[in-house]
Amino acid sequence: MHTYSVKSEKDLITLLDDHKRIPDMRLGQVLVEEELITEDQLDVALETQQKYKTGTHHLGQILVESGFVTPDELNVALARKLAIPFVMLEEFDIDPNLITLVPPEIAQHFKVLPLATVDGSIVVAMINPFDQQAIDALRFNSKMNIEAVMASSHDINEALEKHYSSYEEMEALEDLKLDPILEPAAKEEAAAHTVEAEAKKKPIVRLLNSIVLQAVNSKASDINIRPEKDKVNVYFRVDGKMQFIRSLSRNLLPPLVSRVKITGQMDISERRLPQDGHARLVRQGKQIDLRISVVPTVNGESVVIRILDKEAGFKPLDELGFRQDDMDLIRRMISRPNGIFLVTGPTGSGKSTTLYAVLDEVKQRNPHILTVEDPVEYDMEGVEQVQIALAKGYTFAEALRHFLRHDPDVIMVGEIRDEETAHIANKAALTGHLVFSTLHTNDAASTVTRLLDMGIENYLLSTTLLGVMAQRLVRVNCPECLTEEEAQPHIRKTLNLEEGEKFKHSAGCFKCHYTGYHGRISVIELLPITPEISRLIIEGRPAKEIAELAVNQGMRTLQQCALDLARQGKTSLEEVYALCTE
């Protein structure tokens, strides 16, 4: 009896190695063979099932409702039918070291328990081994494949209580220190107010620290804490895509948001207006800055935390994945003594990373470099970096005015947001400075019309603008699970692909968390301001004409650049299509 029940790790591994499905055997037959019901009881249940509409009542449901079997006995039979081991957790000896593989919140929320590791996979006991959301969350958090086995709900709840104890007793993250970024003069004053609040909310402090640390380890760019009517969901943005991580009790939202506000030096009592803040994560001597935004919604306050890893984010120009001819063109433009070079694109498209790589190139000439940023994302040796303070009226425009009296050779402006900043940046370029900055535009050519709309004169812009680089990030195919991809007809038509042209995508494996992607790469559209394009700017011609001329002169569009990467197998057609239809 119970040939698929397991009481030890040895039995579990043996059964996993030998498991085979039994598709021809019906559930009723299994229950009779396991001596859980009699033939007569099965006949009664089948007759009852026939009275209902097809598919409305399953046999197992009827047997439980009739009192012939318990839910746990039914699970044992289902486990045998589906060749899934049924684990008797009361007698199963669990290695305490395995418990650390699944965070307490995940284990409690999905009712799962790690039992063993076999061939790079975690074997977990579940009430429902077909819960795909739970399996996906476990894969993402553990970065390992998941092998699901069955256990009774009673056994799992007892085991969770035994091995994880209470949520408040989570293991302290002793190597993690998360503090607000305070001015030196304000530190003593703030300490008296925050220490008492932190001491009262020790589990909440650990919860926030664990979420942030997990996001950093997962190489996430953002953390989203979203309130729902009956729960709070936590998401990470990894490689540009949202990943569900866990759900928290609705009761945890107020103290968790309060802890976020304390960390970001915000007003805890203000719950009706949006607030922004900054914090710093210090771990093993490594600093990671956090940009925090809290916005009130109908379900409660929503939190987004942008992670700025100064060490991981900075890359030299040669490591950004640009083609050699594009890098040569960029180097020619930034070797000029004065002018404006702009990088454009939406939020999260890698603009800042590119600008820092450009600054690193220029720095080799040993010029006097000043930057004004919001916030300072990467520390650069030999560069004077200034962070604006909007609350105190210290804006990009105000900083630029002072910069021009500080004798710089190169100025980097984090973003041109308004007409005043655009005019001062253009003035700086006219007076012999090399200016780098970013703008939010969809492509390179439309940047020209955007600057003209900001009030810069045509003839001045045609003189100062050196070039514009529009940029996006596309996800890179995971090399471990790469396979051929057949282009769908609508994608083939949209991208104007040749018949029979072959591409590749990744099917998904545990190394890429079953997403099919691992990392991202830049896709760029580089527009140099040639004499011919300069004449179009003076004439005030539309962006479409500027783009057409640039393409005729050799500029590759964002779509062409992405398609080249797909033809090399570096990204999928899905990513190219998403870029072209955004």
mmCIF file of all heavy atoms in Angstrom, residues 476-504:
data_model
loop_
_atom_site.group_PDB
_atom_site.id
_atom_site.type_symbol
_atom_site.label_atom_id
_atom_site.label_comp_id
_atom_site.label_asym_id
_atom_site.label_seq_id
_atom_site.Cartn_x
_atom_site.Cartn_y
_atom_site.Cartn_z
ATOM 1 N N VAL A 476 19.217 39.673 -24.195
ATOM 2 C CA VAL A 476 20.138 38.770 -24.894
ATOM 3 C C VAL A 476 19.675 37.327 -24.706
ATOM 4 O O VAL A 476 19.318 36.911 -23.598
ATOM 5 C CB VAL A 476 21.577 38.929 -24.354
ATOM 6 C CG1 VAL A 476 22.525 37.956 -25.044
ATOM 7 C CG2 VAL A 476 22.052 40.359 -24.545
ATOM 8 N N ASN A 477 19.670 36.555 -25.785
ATOM 9 C CA ASN A 477 19.297 35.142 -25.711
ATOM 10 C C ASN A 477 20.212 34.396 -24.746
ATOM 11 O O ASN A 477 21.426 34.587 -24.757
ATOM 12 C CB ASN A 477 19.396 34.488 -27.091
ATOM 13 C CG ASN A 477 18.281 34.904 -28.022
ATOM 14 O OD1 ASN A 477 17.188 35.240 -27.583
ATOM 15 N ND2 ASN A 477 18.541 34.869 -29.324
ATOM 16 N N CYS A 478 19.623 33.541 -23.928
ATOM 17 C CA CYS A 478 20.419 32.697 -23.033
ATOM 18 C C CYS A 478 21.196 31.685 -23.868
ATOM 19 O O CYS A 478 20.598 30.930 -24.639
ATOM 20 C CB CYS A 478 19.503 31.975 -22.042
ATOM 21 S SG CYS A 478 20.347 30.743 -21.032
ATOM 22 N N PRO A 479 22.520 31.626 -23.746
ATOM 23 C CA PRO A 479 23.311 30.707 -24.579
ATOM 24 C C PRO A 479 23.132 29.239 -24.212
ATOM 25 O O PRO A 479 23.450 28.358 -25.013
ATOM 26 C CB PRO A 479 24.758 31.162 -24.327
ATOM 27 C CG PRO A 479 24.725 31.817 -22.984
ATOM 28 C CD PRO A 479 23.368 32.449 -22.871
ATOM 29 N N GLU A 480 22.590 28.970 -23.009
ATOM 30 C CA GLU A 480 22.471 27.591 -22.548
ATOM 31 C C GLU A 480 21.298 26.849 -23.182
ATOM 32 O O GLU A 480 21.287 25.624 -23.219
ATOM 33 C CB GLU A 480 22.324 27.563 -21.016
ATOM 34 C CG GLU A 480 23.482 28.186 -20.259
ATOM 35 C CD GLU A 480 24.776 27.411 -20.449
ATOM 36 O OE1 GLU A 480 24.701 26.186 -20.638
ATOM 37 O OE2 GLU A 480 25.853 28.044 -20.410
ATOM 38 N N CYS A 481 20.285 27.585 -23.643
ATOM 39 C CA CYS A 481 19.089 26.922 -24.176
ATOM 40 C C CYS A 481 18.704 27.494 -25.544
ATOM 41 O O CYS A 481 17.526 27.610 -25.873
ATOM 42 C CB CYS A 481 17.920 27.034 -23.194
ATOM 43 S SG CYS A 481 17.584 28.717 -22.608
ATOM 44 N N LEU A 482 19.708 27.850 -26.336
ATOM 45 C CA LEU A 482 19.489 28.462 -27.647
ATOM 46 C C LEU A 482 18.962 27.430 -28.638
ATOM 47 O O LEU A 482 19.447 26.294 -28.704
ATOM 48 C CB LEU A 482 20.807 29.050 -28.156
ATOM 49 C CG LEU A 482 20.739 30.185 -29.176
ATOM 50 C CD1 LEU A 482 19.983 31.381 -28.614
ATOM 51 C CD2 LEU A 482 22.150 30.605 -29.582
ATOM 52 N N THR A 483 17.952 27.836 -29.406
ATOM 53 C CA THR A 483 17.386 26.953 -30.417
ATOM 54 C C THR A 483 16.876 27.789 -31.587
ATOM 55 O O THR A 483 16.745 29.003 -31.470
ATOM 56 C CB THR A 483 16.234 26.106 -29.823
ATOM 57 O OG1 THR A 483 15.750 25.203 -30.807
ATOM 58 C CG2 THR A 483 15.087 26.992 -29.376
ATOM 59 N N GLU A 484 16.586 27.131 -32.712
ATOM 60 C CA GLU A 484 16.106 27.877 -33.887
ATOM 61 C C GLU A 484 14.699 28.397 -33.667
ATOM 62 O O GLU A 484 13.887 27.787 -32.972
ATOM 63 C CB GLU A 484 16.145 26.986 -35.134
ATOM 64 C CG GLU A 484 17.529 26.888 -35.751
ATOM 65 C CD GLU A 484 17.480 26.440 -37.209
ATOM 66 O OE1 GLU A 484 16.380 26.195 -37.737
ATOM 67 O OE2 GLU A 484 18.553 26.359 -37.819
ATOM 68 N N GLU A 485 14.421 29.557 -34.272
ATOM 69 C CA GLU A 485 13.129 30.203 -34.124
ATOM 70 C C GLU A 485 12.497 30.392 -35.502
ATOM 71 O O GLU A 485 13.140 30.893 -36.423
ATOM 72 C CB GLU A 485 13.311 31.571 -33.445
ATOM 73 C CG GLU A 485 12.044 32.370 -33.314
ATOM 74 C CD GLU A 485 12.284 33.736 -32.660
ATOM 75 O OE1 GLU A 485 13.450 34.192 -32.668
ATOM 76 O OE2 GLU A 485 11.323 34.334 -32.171
ATOM 77 N N GLU A 486 11.253 30.018 -35.623
ATOM 78 C CA GLU A 486 10.516 30.209 -36.871
ATOM 79 C C GLU A 486 9.730 31.502 -36.766
ATOM 80 O O GLU A 486 8.898 31.674 -35.863
ATOM 81 C CB GLU A 486 9.553 29.032 -37.105
ATOM 82 C CG GLU A 486 8.850 29.078 -38.450
ATOM 83 C CD GLU A 486 9.806 28.949 -39.629
ATOM 84 O OE1 GLU A 486 10.793 28.181 -39.517
ATOM 85 O OE2 GLU A 486 9.585 29.626 -40.650
ATOM 86 N N ALA A 487 9.987 32.439 -37.663
ATOM 87 C CA ALA A 487 9.322 33.744 -37.608
ATOM 88 C C ALA A 487 7.841 33.606 -37.924
ATOM 89 O O ALA A 487 7.465 32.993 -38.917
ATOM 90 C CB ALA A 487 9.982 34.701 -38.597
ATOM 91 N N GLN A 488 6.998 34.174 -37.081
ATOM 92 C CA GLN A 488 5.562 34.171 -37.325
ATOM 93 C C GLN A 488 5.230 35.101 -38.489
ATOM 94 O O GLN A 488 5.922 36.104 -38.707
ATOM 95 C CB GLN A 488 4.813 34.607 -36.066
ATOM 96 C CG GLN A 488 5.023 33.675 -34.881
ATOM 97 C CD GLN A 488 4.258 34.138 -33.653
ATOM 98 O OE1 GLN A 488 3.273 34.848 -33.761
ATOM 99 N NE2 GLN A 488 4.748 33.747 -32.486
ATOM 100 N N PRO A 489 4.169 34.787 -39.245
ATOM 101 C CA PRO A 489 3.856 35.564 -40.456
ATOM 102 C C PRO A 489 3.725 37.063 -40.217
ATOM 103 O O PRO A 489 4.249 37.870 -40.995
ATOM 104 C CB PRO A 489 2.523 34.955 -40.920
ATOM 105 C CG PRO A 489 2.549 33.560 -40.392
ATOM 106 C CD PRO A 489 3.278 33.625 -39.087
ATOM 107 N N HIS A 490 3.046 37.482 -39.138
ATOM 108 C CA HIS A 490 2.861 38.921 -38.909
ATOM 109 C C HIS A 490 4.175 39.610 -38.554
ATOM 110 O O HIS A 490 4.405 40.768 -38.924
ATOM 111 C CB HIS A 490 1.803 39.154 -37.830
ATOM 112 C CG HIS A 490 2.235 38.790 -36.441
ATOM 113 N ND1 HIS A 490 2.271 37.489 -35.992
ATOM 114 C CD2 HIS A 490 2.663 39.560 -35.406
ATOM 115 C CE1 HIS A 490 2.677 37.462 -34.737
ATOM 116 N NE2 HIS A 490 2.936 38.699 -34.365
ATOM 117 N N ILE A 491 5.073 38.880 -37.858
ATOM 118 C CA ILE A 491 6.384 39.454 -37.549
ATOM 119 C C ILE A 491 7.228 39.543 -38.811
ATOM 120 O O ILE A 491 7.902 40.553 -39.065
ATOM 121 C CB ILE A 491 7.101 38.611 -36.473
ATOM 122 C CG1 ILE A 491 6.351 38.698 -35.136
ATOM 123 C CG2 ILE A 491 8.554 39.057 -36.305
ATOM 124 C CD1 ILE A 491 6.980 37.904 -34.014
ATOM 125 N N ARG A 492 7.184 38.492 -39.629
ATOM 126 C CA ARG A 492 7.949 38.475 -40.885
ATOM 127 C C ARG A 492 7.508 39.643 -41.790
ATOM 128 O O ARG A 492 8.336 40.304 -42.419
ATOM 129 C CB ARG A 492 7.749 37.127 -41.592
ATOM 130 C CG ARG A 492 8.661 36.917 -42.785
ATOM 131 C CD ARG A 492 8.448 35.527 -43.370
ATOM 132 N NE ARG A 492 8.904 34.487 -42.470
ATOM 133 C CZ ARG A 492 10.169 34.124 -42.344
ATOM 134 N NH1 ARG A 492 11.110 34.718 -43.062
ATOM 135 N NH2 ARG A 492 10.505 33.162 -41.495
ATOM 136 N N LYS A 493 6.190 39.892 -41.817
ATOM 137 C CA LYS A 493 5.661 40.966 -42.666
ATOM 138 C C LYS A 493 6.072 42.336 -42.112
ATOM 139 O O LYS A 493 6.505 43.219 -42.871
ATOM 140 C CB LYS A 493 4.145 40.858 -42.755
ATOM 141 C CG LYS A 493 3.505 41.897 -43.659
ATOM 142 C CD LYS A 493 1.991 41.698 -43.727
ATOM 143 C CE LYS A 493 1.361 42.765 -44.625
ATOM 144 N NZ LYS A 493 -0.122 42.590 -44.692
ATOM 145 N N THR A 494 5.928 42.518 -40.806
ATOM 146 C CA THR A 494 6.259 43.810 -40.184
ATOM 147 C C THR A 494 7.727 44.152 -40.350
ATOM 148 O O THR A 494 8.086 45.303 -40.635
ATOM 149 C CB THR A 494 5.892 43.788 -38.682
ATOM 150 O OG1 THR A 494 4.504 43.501 -38.541
ATOM 151 C CG2 THR A 494 6.217 45.119 -38.024
ATOM 152 N N LEU A 495 8.602 43.155 -40.175
ATOM 153 C CA LEU A 495 10.040 43.397 -40.243
ATOM 154 C C LEU A 495 10.600 43.233 -41.652
ATOM 155 O O LEU A 495 11.808 43.395 -41.855
ATOM 156 C CB LEU A 495 10.776 42.445 -39.284
ATOM 157 C CG LEU A 495 10.382 42.540 -37.799
ATOM 158 C CD1 LEU A 495 11.190 41.552 -36.969
ATOM 159 C CD2 LEU A 495 10.594 43.955 -37.291
ATOM 160 N N ASN A 496 9.715 42.889 -42.604
ATOM 161 C CA ASN A 496 10.123 42.744 -44.011
ATOM 162 C C ASN A 496 11.259 41.731 -44.160
ATOM 163 O O ASN A 496 12.286 42.005 -44.788
ATOM 164 C CB ASN A 496 10.543 44.111 -44.577
ATOM 165 C CG ASN A 496 10.595 44.107 -46.091
ATOM 166 O OD1 ASN A 496 9.920 43.307 -46.761
ATOM 167 N ND2 ASN A 496 11.424 44.979 -46.658
ATOM 168 N N LEU A 497 11.051 40.540 -43.591
ATOM 169 C CA LEU A 497 12.086 39.507 -43.603
ATOM 170 C C LEU A 497 11.982 38.663 -44.867
ATOM 171 O O LEU A 497 10.898 38.457 -45.413
ATOM 172 C CB LEU A 497 11.932 38.598 -42.375
ATOM 173 C CG LEU A 497 11.985 39.290 -41.009
ATOM 174 C CD1 LEU A 497 11.755 38.270 -39.907
ATOM 175 C CD2 LEU A 497 13.315 40.004 -40.818
ATOM 176 N N GLU A 498 13.116 38.155 -45.299
ATOM 177 C CA GLU A 498 13.134 37.281 -46.469
ATOM 178 C C GLU A 498 12.589 35.902 -46.105
ATOM 179 O O GLU A 498 12.756 35.424 -44.983
ATOM 180 C CB GLU A 498 14.561 37.144 -47.000
ATOM 181 C CG GLU A 498 15.128 38.445 -47.560
ATOM 182 C CD GLU A 498 16.540 38.263 -48.099
ATOM 183 O OE1 GLU A 498 16.987 37.085 -48.166
ATOM 184 O OE2 GLU A 498 17.180 39.262 -48.444
ATOM 185 N N GLU A 499 11.938 35.264 -47.055
ATOM 186 C CA GLU A 499 11.375 33.930 -46.837
ATOM 187 C C GLU A 499 12.494 32.930 -46.568
ATOM 188 O O GLU A 499 13.512 32.916 -47.257
ATOM 189 C CB GLU A 499 10.574 33.500 -48.073
ATOM 190 C CG GLU A 499 9.582 32.374 -47.806
ATOM 191 C CD GLU A 499 8.465 32.798 -46.878
ATOM 192 O OE1 GLU A 499 8.011 33.948 -46.991
ATOM 193 O OE2 GLU A 499 8.065 31.965 -46.037
ATOM 194 N N GLY A 500 12.312 32.122 -45.528
ATOM 195 C CA GLY A 500 13.303 31.100 -45.216
ATOM 196 C C GLY A 500 14.446 31.575 -44.344
ATOM 197 O O GLY A 500 15.326 30.786 -43.978
ATOM 198 N N GLU A 501 14.484 32.875 -44.004
ATOM 199 C CA GLU A 501 15.568 33.393 -43.166
ATOM 200 C C GLU A 501 15.454 32.819 -41.757
ATOM 201 O O GLU A 501 14.376 32.824 -41.148
ATOM 202 C CB GLU A 501 15.504 34.923 -43.124
ATOM 203 C CG GLU A 501 16.775 35.570 -42.608
ATOM 204 C CD GLU A 501 16.758 37.087 -42.774
ATOM 205 O OE1 GLU A 501 15.767 37.627 -43.300
ATOM 206 O OE2 GLU A 501 17.751 37.720 -42.376
ATOM 207 N N LYS A 502 16.552 32.318 -41.206
ATOM 208 C CA LYS A 502 16.549 31.624 -39.920
ATOM 209 C C LYS A 502 17.001 32.549 -38.792
ATOM 210 O O LYS A 502 17.914 33.355 -38.961
ATOM 211 C CB LYS A 502 17.463 30.391 -39.969
ATOM 212 C CG LYS A 502 17.037 29.342 -40.993
ATOM 213 C CD LYS A 502 15.721 28.681 -40.620
ATOM 214 C CE LYS A 502 15.343 27.571 -41.597
ATOM 215 N NZ LYS A 502 14.042 26.961 -41.266
ATOM 216 N N PHE A 503 16.363 32.388 -37.640
ATOM 217 C CA PHE A 503 16.726 33.157 -36.451
ATOM 218 C C PHE A 503 16.771 32.217 -35.251
ATOM 219 O O PHE A 503 16.416 31.042 -35.359
ATOM 220 C CB PHE A 503 15.709 34.282 -36.214
ATOM 221 C CG PHE A 503 15.703 35.323 -37.294
ATOM 222 C CD1 PHE A 503 14.869 35.185 -38.400
ATOM 223 C CD2 PHE A 503 16.533 36.423 -37.218
ATOM 224 C CE1 PHE A 503 14.863 36.136 -39.406
ATOM 225 C CE2 PHE A 503 16.529 37.378 -38.214
ATOM 226 C CZ PHE A 503 15.704 37.236 -39.311
ATOM 227 N N LYS A 504 17.204 32.745 -34.111
ATOM 228 C CA LYS A 504 17.315 31.915 -32.915
ATOM 229 C C LYS A 504 16.663 32.601 -31.715
ATOM 230 O O LYS A 504 16.606 33.829 -31.631
ATOM 231 C CB LYS A 504 18.789 31.614 -32.603
ATOM 232 C CG LYS A 504 19.446 30.691 -33.621
ATOM 233 C CD LYS A 504 20.847 30.311 -33.199
ATOM 234 C CE LYS A 504 21.460 29.325 -34.196
ATOM 235 N NZ LYS A 504 22.830 28.920 -33.795
#
